[in-house]
Amino acid sequence: MSRPDESLIRDKDLRDELERLRGKPLFDTLAQTLVSRQEKRDAERAVERDKAAKLAALPREKRRRAIFREVIENDGPSPDNLRYMPTPLAICGLPYKALPDGENEFERKQGRMAVTVTAGKLRAPDGQRIQQPVPFGPKARLIMAHLSTEALRNNSPVVETSETLSGFMRDMGFEPRGGRNGNIEPFKEQLRALAACRMEISTWDGRRSGQIDVKPLQKVELWFPDHADQKSLWPTTIAFSEDFYRELKAHALPIDVRVLRALSNSARRLDLMLWVTYRITRLQTRLVLDWKPLKSQFGEDYTRDRAFREAFREDVAALKEIFPKLPLKLTERGLEMDAAEPSALAIPKRSLGS
């Protein structure tokens, strides 16, 4: 047996082991084993470098989804990772972007359910009542998911929050950023919009109809200090109204927080993920949805059918980048969907309710 090339052993722990073995019986055989271990490590590192290079070459959002996909695949479903969205909002959703000036009501229907959201006013520190917008965009959805989850976990409509705005944002997965293009002011705007709005949740079946008219947030610190790290002088609690909390307890849809974060820059993709989660885990047979109802549900920003279809294909592809085995397929007719176990969406089966 030829002597092993000791220069191939470079890692400090392996070099230290080599010196401990020097002069002992079968040294050459043991040294060759260390060479093999070094080669294996080098091969694994090469794979990781190649993987990191491919990841770095991806566009930012695509890279974000790829990272979360790997985390979900490695760690699997866990109740600790679940967040909850009120089912009517998960099915019907909020506006994707700010409504035009002067428009203070938004309605979206899905099947035999509708959610109507009406903007309200809030009292400012100077005593004036200030008109708020209808809540919109991804931040409004993520705020609602966070608060709903905390209420359900604590079995109480009252949610204790961090003493500072920045702490509250970090609890939700936002890293606070100030300045003109930061997220602090938009975050405040959406929390105020949620605090001021009213929601009408309606259902019907052709013979009967019913609705609840609720103000989701009953108590909230509305006017934050100028500095996000400054402690609030008000009690650090947010309270859901009793009516909304009862609806939340009866109808809350679970979703993995890692998915929310992977899609946190797109309100439409968040809505699509929530909607797919609701539909796909309740199917008994294959469902085929035509393009027309899909555009009615998700095409808020599109007037041309072709533009919507192209965007929707990208949205479905984004979901499948996170969950490659998701049984969704787009055809000329529309969207085909097969039943799937909750675990396919990183949701523990016992966590799936109404």
Side-chain angles (χ1 to χ4, degrees):
M1 178 179 178
S2 60
R3 292 186 64 98
D5 184 353
E6 295 182 17
S7 67
L8 296 176
I9 305 172
R10 297 179 309 282
D11 288 0
K12 184 178 184 306
D13 62 324
L14 298 183
R15 294 293 306 180
D16 290 345
E17 189 171 347
L18 177 70
E19 294 307 315
R20 288 195 298 270
L21 294 172
R22 193 176 300 281
K24 293 185 178 181
L26 301 175
F27 172 77
D28 287 350
T29 301
L30 296 172
Q32 185 57 54
T33 300
L34 295 178
V35 170
S36 297
R37 286 169 61 186
Q38 182 72 69
E39 290 174 344
K40 182 179 179 181
R41 288 184 183 183
D42 291 345
E44 290 172 347
R45 287 166 181 161
V47 169
E48 288 301 315
R49 284 196 300 270
D50 182 61
K51 181 178 172 182
K54 289 179 179 177
L55 199 60
L58 294 174
R60 185 182 66 174
E61 293 305 314
K62 199 175 184 72
R63 180 168 65 248
R64 183 183 181 89
R65 293 190 292 272
I67 291 170
F68 277 106
R69 168 187 168 178
E70 183 174 5
V71 171
I72 291 170
E73 288 178 346
N74 290 339
D75 296 345
S78 168
D80 293 338
N81 287 324
L82 291 184
R83 300 296 182 268
Y84 293 87
M85 180 68 84
T87 300
L89 288 184
I91 296 173
C92 295
L94 296 167
Y96 297 147
K97 60 184 180 181
L99 299 185
D101 289 344
E103 288 191 23
N104 293 319
E105 186 173 280
F106 173 84
E107 180 178 86
R108 181 176 287 142
K109 298 177 182 178
Q110 170 61 30
R112 296 180 176 182
M113 175 182 290
V115 171
T116 305
V117 186
T118 305
K121 295 183 178 182
L122 295 178
R123 187 79 62 182
D126 63 3
Q128 295 186 60
R129 294 185 72 225
I130 307 297
Q131 179 68 53
Q132 305 299 311
V134 172
F136 64 88
K139 289 181 178 62
R141 289 156 170 82
L142 296 172
I143 291 170
M144 184 58 74
H146 175 77
L147 294 177
S148 298
T149 302
E150 291 300 302
L152 292 174
R153 284 179 174 170
N154 297 327
N155 196 31
S156 169
V158 178
V159 176
E160 298 291 335
T161 68
S162 297
E163 291 184 334
T164 64
L165 175 61
S166 61
F168 184 33
M169 292 178 69
R170 289 190 180 99
D171 287 345
M172 295 181 50
F174 290 108
E175 185 57 36
R177 300 189 312 277
R180 184 175 181 180
N181 297 318
N183 59 3
I184 292 174
E185 286 304 318
F187 180 92
K188 292 180 182 179
E189 177 189 49
Q190 292 309 310
L191 186 52
R192 288 172 181 154
L194 286 167
C197 78
R198 298 195 68 87
M199 294 185 184
E200 176 191 296
I201 302 169
S202 311
T203 58
W204 60 92
D205 63 9
R207 292 177 300 170
R208 295 178 299 177
S209 65
Q211 71 181 50
I212 61 169
D213 186 7
V214 295
K215 193 174 187 299
L217 299 183
Q218 180 174 290
K219 177 183 178 182
V220 62
E221 166 56 60
L222 304 174
W223 305 100
F224 299 101
D226 292 335
H227 196 284
D229 291 316
Q230 182 181 342
K231 289 186 178 181
S232 171
L233 300 178
W234 289 55
T236 51
T237 58
I238 293 176
F240 285 109
S241 69
E242 287 293 338
D243 287 343
F244 191 85
Y245 178 63
R246 281 195 296 270
E247 179 69 17
L248 174 63
K249 289 188 71 174
H251 305 289
L253 183 73
I255 187 167
D256 192 287
V257 67
R258 296 164 295 187
V259 181
L260 292 179
R261 290 172 180 168
L263 303 173
S264 62
N265 287 328
S266 171
R268 189 172 62 247
R269 289 176 182 176
L270 286 171
D271 278 6
L272 179 59
M273 187 75 254
L274 289 161
W275 179 81
V276 165
T277 299
Y278 179 83
R279 298 298 295 265
I280 212 168
T281 53
R282 288 162 172 78
L283 286 178
Q284 300 299 319
T285 59
R286 173 171 292 185
L287 174 68
V288 180
L289 282 171
D290 293 340
W291 282 106
K292 185 175 181 180
L294 287 172
K295 185 168 183 258
S296 175
Q297 175 74 5
F298 300 107
E300 177 184 318
D301 299 334
Y302 297 93
T303 55
R304 295 190 301 115
D305 289 349
R306 182 176 178 180
F308 167 71
R309 292 188 184 196
E310 290 175 356
F312 194 73
R313 289 184 190 279
E314 292 178 3
D315 294 339
V316 171
L319 267 57
K320 297 195 73 169
E321 287 172 9
I322 305 171
F323 296 117
K325 297 181 181 179
L326 204 60
L328 299 177
K329 180 182 177 183
L330 284 172
T331 66
E332 286 301 313
R333 180 177 173 185
L335 179 67
E336 293 184 6
M337 181 187 305
D338 289 310
E341 289 294 318
S343 59
L345 298 161
I347 300 172
K349 188 170 184 179
R350 64 181 180 277
S351 301
L352 195 66
S354 60

